[in-house]
């Protein structure tokens, strides 16, 4: 393994033991740089340990939907759901300000370069019609809104907004749509309408297809798109330049890291 290799780690979701084991494999001498694909927390058993490690070691990530959910809880606009969420110990640590400040540095999409190869890292996906400039602009728009008024951002975030909309028409609904694209999207129509209900491999309607099955404009500017979020795929996209790395560790699968230069995958089995 080259010492300058860069990796992207899939959805950790509080699986701290697997996270630490994977880091030992991809970064044994603490020389390799890695980025996380989002969903650092929730559903798994040790979100508090994952967050402590991430902050202490300055680990970077793009936003996942569960990361945003944690921030909404810490800010106080959402309640921890005892039936679904597993972040009570993290919340009880009373480190809300530290966590919010750190997570606020994350982006919704990020381009990483390794040996002249560019990879776009995003949690759920991007629209096929978006150029790289469009993606950067949408990311900047969301980050600006988040930093300008975090409470308003998170209190209005939760929505199944599925249709694209211009900023001039309704900024709040546009923001909801962009958040859903970056952090929740799986299936879309040819007109960029989202199906946010289906989480399996196949859509419930023939109007919708996996977002990565369309021709993507941004691949003119980047070599690869790397995403997480969709554990049911087990990483299979049948696309050489769009790679899924959520292998469902929290559900008993494995935690994966992809080498962004040669696209090789390293995995650690779930301890479940």
């Amino acid at each position: 393994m080259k010492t300058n290799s860069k990796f992207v780690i899939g959805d950790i979701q509080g699986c701290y033991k697997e996270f630490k084991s994977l880091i030992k494999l991809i970064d044994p001498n603490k020389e390799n740089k890695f980025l996380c694909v989002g969903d650092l927390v929730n559903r798994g058993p040790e979100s508090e340990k994952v967050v402590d490690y991430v902050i202490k070691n300055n680990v970077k990530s793009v936003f996942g939907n569960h990361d945003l959910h944690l921030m909404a809880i810490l800010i106080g606009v959402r309640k921890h759901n005892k039936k679904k969420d597993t972040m009570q110990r993290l919340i009880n640590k009373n480190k809300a300000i530290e966590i919010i400040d750190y997570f606020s540095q994350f982006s919704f999409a990020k381009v990483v370069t390794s040996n002249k190869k560019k990879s776009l890292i995003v949690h759920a996906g991007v629209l096929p019609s978006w150029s790289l400039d469009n993606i950067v602009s949408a990311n900047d728009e969301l980050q600006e809104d988040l930093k300008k008024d975090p409470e308003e951002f998170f209190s209005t975030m939760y929505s199944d907004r599925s249709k694209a909309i211009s900023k001039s028409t309704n900024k709040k609904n546009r923001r909801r749509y962009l958040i859903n694209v970056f952090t929740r999207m799986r299936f879309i129509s040819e007109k960029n309408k989202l199906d946010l209900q289906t989480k399996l491999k196949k859509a419930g309607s023939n109007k919708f297809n996996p977002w990565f099955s369309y021709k993507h404009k941004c691949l003119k500017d980047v070599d690869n798109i790397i995403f997480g979020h969709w554990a049911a795929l087990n990483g299979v996209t049948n696309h050489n330049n769009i790679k899924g790395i959520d292998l469902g560790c929290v559900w008993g699968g494995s935690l994966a890291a992809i080498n962004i230069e040669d696209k090789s995958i390293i995995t650690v089995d779930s301890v479940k």
Side-chain angles (χ1 to χ4, degrees), residues 39-265:
D39 277 3
L40 303 174
V41 298
N42 213 9
R43 301 289 193 260
E46 297 180 306
S47 291
E48 71 284 355
K49 291 184 179 180
V50 172
V51 171
D52 281 347
Y53 184 93
V54 163
I55 293 176
K56 182 178 179 181
N57 293 278
N58 198 32
V59 174
K60 300 302 181 185
S61 179
V62 294
F63 279 119
N65 49 304
H66 287 289
D67 309 315
L68 294 173
H69 182 54
L70 170 63
M71 293 178 74
I73 292 171
L74 294 176
I75 283 176
V77 299
R78 200 76 171 180
K79 291 185 178 180
H80 185 267
N81 186 328
K82 293 181 180 179
K83 293 182 178 180
K84 293 183 178 181
D85 300 327
T86 61
M87 300 183 289
Q88 194 60 57
R89 287 200 301 270
L90 175 57
I91 295 165
N92 290 345
K93 290 176 75 72
N94 293 321
K95 291 186 176 181
I97 294 176
E98 181 183 5
I99 295 169
I100 292 167
D101 285 348
Y102 190 84
F103 276 36
S104 293
Q105 302 174 49
F106 295 168
S107 55
F108 288 85
K110 187 174 181 65
V111 175
V112 178
T113 303
S114 180
N115 290 335
K116 298 182 180 180
K117 286 193 174 183
K118 291 183 178 181
S119 292
L120 174 67
I121 318 301
V122 64
H123 180 65
V126 292
L127 296 180
S129 58
W130 277 352
S131 65
L132 183 58
D133 285 344
N134 295 146
I135 294 167
V136 171
S137 178
N139 171 75
D140 291 348
E141 183 180 329
L142 289 177
Q143 284 190 302
E144 182 180 336
D145 285 351
L146 191 159
K147 291 175 181 177
K148 182 179 179 181
D149 191 341
E151 187 171 340
E152 198 269 344
F153 183 95
F154 288 109
S155 64
T156 60
M157 174 181 71
Y158 293 86
S159 167
D160 284 337
R161 180 73 197 182
S162 62
K163 293 182 180 180
I165 191 169
S166 68
K167 183 166 36 174
S168 61
T169 303
N170 188 313
K171 186 174 181 179
K172 187 185 298 182
N173 279 337
R174 173 175 166 80
R175 184 167 66 222
R176 287 167 168 166
Y177 177 75
L178 294 179
I179 292 170
N180 287 340
V181 168
F182 280 129
T183 68
R184 296 179 61 201
M185 178 174 66
R186 291 185 178 93
F187 294 98
I188 61 172
S189 72
E190 291 183 353
K191 295 183 178 181
N192 290 338
K193 183 177 180 180
L194 314 182
D195 172 7
L196 295 171
Q197 307 307 316
T198 308
K199 299 182 179 182
L200 304 176
K201 294 181 182 179
K202 294 183 179 180
S205 167
N206 58 13
K207 293 181 181 180
F208 295 94
N209 292 292
W211 66 270
F212 52 79
S213 66
Y214 298 87
K215 185 177 180 180
H216 277 263
K217 192 174 182 180
C218 73
L219 286 175
K220 294 179 181 178
D221 301 304
V222 298
D223 298 285
N224 305 292
I225 302 171
I226 299 171
F227 71 100
H229 184 60
W230 200 343
L233 294 175
N234 200 34
V236 178
T237 62
N238 296 316
H239 195 302
N240 193 46
N241 300 105
I242 303 180
K243 297 296 182 182
I245 54 167
D246 181 4
L247 303 189
C249 183
V250 73
W251 310 116
S254 58
L255 185 62
I258 185 170
N259 184 321
I260 66 172
E261 186 177 337
D262 62 16
K263 291 182 276 193
S264 59
I265 303 284

